[in-house]
Amino acid sequence: MRCFALILALVAALPAQAASTHPTAKVLEVMRENGCRLDISQTEEAFSARDLRPEDVSAVINSWAERGLAGLDGPVFEIAPAICGAHGLAPEDTARRADALFDFVRLNGCRMVEEEAEIKLRPAGFSQAETPDLIAFLVEQGRAHQDAPYIIVIGDAC
C-alpha cells in the first residue's frame, strides 16, 4: 500500500499535458529507454517529454503495480522483466536474456506462435536472430519446450 501511495505521489508531481493516445505504450517506452529503472527525480522530465498526463501515468503504473509488475526500490521506480523484456541487458548475457524471455512469454499467455512472436518480441528488445538460441537455452534448462505451432511453451510455470 505504501508503494501505491509513493507512486501516486510521484505521478502527481508531473505537469498536466495533453491526452496521449496510448499512455501504456508511452510509459513502457520511457521505462525501456531508461533500462527499466527510473529515478523518481527524473520522472517529471521523462514522462512529460512524451506528453503524458499525470493521471494517465498513474493509471498505468498502478495497473502494473497491482499485478506485481512494477514498484519502487528506494528512490527508483522499476518494471519487472516480464514487461521490460531484454531492454537494459547486455547482448552477451544469455542467461538473463533467457530469463527475460521466459518472463515475457509467461506474461503473454505462456506460449507464442511465430507470427505473434514476430510482432511482440522485437519491441521487447529481443532480436529474431537470438530468439532460437534463448529458447534452446530454456529448453536445455527444462523450463520450456517447443511444440508446433508454438515457438515456446512454458510448462509448470503457467
Side-chain angles (χ1 to χ4, degrees):
M1 207 52 148
R2 181 175 175 258
C3 178
F4 293 134
L6 289 172
I7 292 170
L8 286 173
L10 157 83
V11 187
L14 296 173
Q17 299 290 325
S20 166
T21 308
H22 303 286
T24 300
K26 288 184 176 188
V27 171
L28 182 57
E29 186 176 272
V30 168
M31 293 304 298
R32 285 178 172 172
E33 286 174 357
N34 287 281
C36 302
R37 295 176 55 83
L38 186 62
D39 190 287
I40 57 174
S41 66
Q42 300 170 332
T43 57
E44 180 179 343
E45 180 181 340
F47 291 125
S48 66
R50 293 290 198 290
D51 295 326
L52 286 161
R53 298 181 312 168
E55 57 269 22
D56 292 335
V57 175
S58 179
V60 170
I61 289 172
N62 285 332
S63 169
W64 290 343
E66 288 169 1
R67 296 183 307 181
L69 298 173
L72 289 174
D73 180 13
V76 177
F77 173 66
E78 61 185 4
I79 59 175
I83 56 176
C84 181
H87 296 277
L89 298 175
E92 63 276 0
D93 193 349
T94 302
R96 289 186 57 207
R97 291 179 78 83
D99 288 345
L101 177 64
F102 182 86
D103 288 340
F104 188 80
V105 172
R106 184 173 51 190
L107 180 69
N108 283 278
C110 298
R111 59 186 71 210
M112 282 187 190
V113 294
E114 189 171 350
E115 297 80 25
E116 182 182 17
E118 288 174 8
I119 294 168
K120 292 182 176 180
L121 292 180
R122 187 170 38 86
F126 300 100
S127 73
Q128 192 172 21
E130 79 173 322
T131 303
D133 292 337
L134 296 177
I135 293 170
F137 186 86
L138 291 170
V139 169
E140 287 173 18
Q141 290 185 322
R143 295 171 61 198
H145 66 277
Q146 289 182 283
D147 188 23
Y150 303 102
I151 66 159
I152 185 171
V153 178
I154 298 171
D156 296 338
C158 294

